[in-house]
Amino acid sequence: DVFSVIAFFFLAIAIFGFETAKFCWNNCKKEGFIALFFFSAYRIFIVITLSFWTQLAFFSASIVQWLLSFSFPDSKLTFEGLIRLGNKKFDVIVAQECAGIESMVLFFVMYLVACSIEFKKLNKKKFALALIFGIILFYFLSVFRLYLIMLTGLLIDPLFAVQVVHRYTSLVFFTAFFLIYWHYSFKWIKSQ
């Protein structure tokens, strides 16, 4: 990753020239360091979460299997190298993406960026609590999304569940959750 950043800078110098790079350094140091901070926070958070994605995905699948067992007692959860969830009619492999890790990381970074705009005016303790609570809520939203995919596949159509619900619900859920959560939490963390 460090080499990618270095390669990016050399590519930028090659395309825009040394004078442009010098101008940017002289006039945009603060913005560059802020961008570097957010990039670093993103990389650190994603490395930490990816290191235990299997546990997150298995925990998500366990909750969904428990919920499914009320309506579909033949549903199973197995883990033999791959996390498999479902029954004979519809089953899925719960992959890294299904744990909601990328979305949680994106939420983390977007929340940091959004709050950085008025960081001096924010209550720092409330900010930290709101960020942690938001990540936890977002994780359970990912669990609900997996449950919705399974229900769609079992009750409506497996192909529709995979090609439509799986593909588009994460974008809709992420956008709606971020906007709603940001709206209400920002008012709270701004109050002293």
Side-chain angles (χ1 to χ4, degrees):
D1 283 331
V2 174
F3 293 114
S4 298
V5 173
I6 293 169
F8 171 77
F9 283 119
F10 280 119
L11 180 63
I13 290 171
I15 292 171
F16 299 110
F18 187 72
E19 288 300 316
T20 304
K22 188 177 170 184
F23 174 82
C24 289
W25 175 255
N26 290 333
N27 295 298
C28 306
K29 278 184 236 178
K30 181 181 174 185
E31 291 80 3
F33 285 116
I34 290 170
L36 184 63
F37 168 77
F38 287 123
F39 176 75
S40 301
Y42 168 79
R43 293 304 305 157
I44 290 167
F45 192 71
I46 202 160
V47 166
I48 290 169
T49 52
L50 284 177
S51 65
F52 57 92
W53 81 266
T54 305
Q55 293 87 345
L56 280 172
F58 190 78
F59 185 64
S60 299
S62 298
I63 295 170
V64 172
Q65 195 278 326
W66 176 74
L67 291 170
L68 287 173
S69 68
F70 293 108
S71 304
F72 303 95
D74 62 334
S75 64
K76 294 180 190 173
L77 175 64
T78 59
F79 182 57
E80 296 164 2
L82 297 172
I83 302 167
R84 192 172 212 82
L85 173 66
N87 61 16
K88 289 180 182 177
K89 182 181 177 193
F90 178 64
D91 72 330
V92 295
I93 294 172
V94 182
Q96 176 178 324
E97 298 81 24
C98 300
I101 289 173
E102 286 85 2
S103 298
M104 284 191 302
V105 172
L106 184 60
F107 172 81
F108 172 76
V109 172
M110 283 181 63
Y111 203 80
L112 285 179
V113 170
C115 285
S116 71
I117 296 167
E118 297 192 40
F119 194 71
K120 292 180 182 176
K121 298 177 184 177
L122 302 181
N123 181 317
K124 309 309 184 258
K125 288 180 184 175
K126 287 182 178 180
F127 165 75
L129 287 172
L131 181 60
I132 292 166
F133 186 66
I135 291 169
I136 293 167
L137 276 179
F138 199 83
Y139 174 76
F140 285 106
L141 183 65
S142 296
V143 171
F144 175 72
R145 177 180 165 266
L146 181 57
Y147 180 63
L148 186 64
I149 292 166
M150 293 304 298
L151 281 181
T152 305
L154 291 166
L155 296 173
I156 300 172
D157 179 45
L159 196 60
F160 179 75
V162 172
Q163 291 186 348
V164 177
V165 179
H166 180 265
R167 185 173 291 167
Y168 298 110
T169 55
S170 70
L171 177 64
V172 172
F173 282 11
F174 177 82
T175 305
F177 176 79
F178 185 81
L179 291 174
I180 292 166
Y181 191 77
W182 169 250
H183 176 74
Y184 289 105
S185 67
F186 187 69
K187 287 179 181 178
W188 181 68
I189 60 177
K190 210 171 173 185
S191 64
Q192 299 295 330

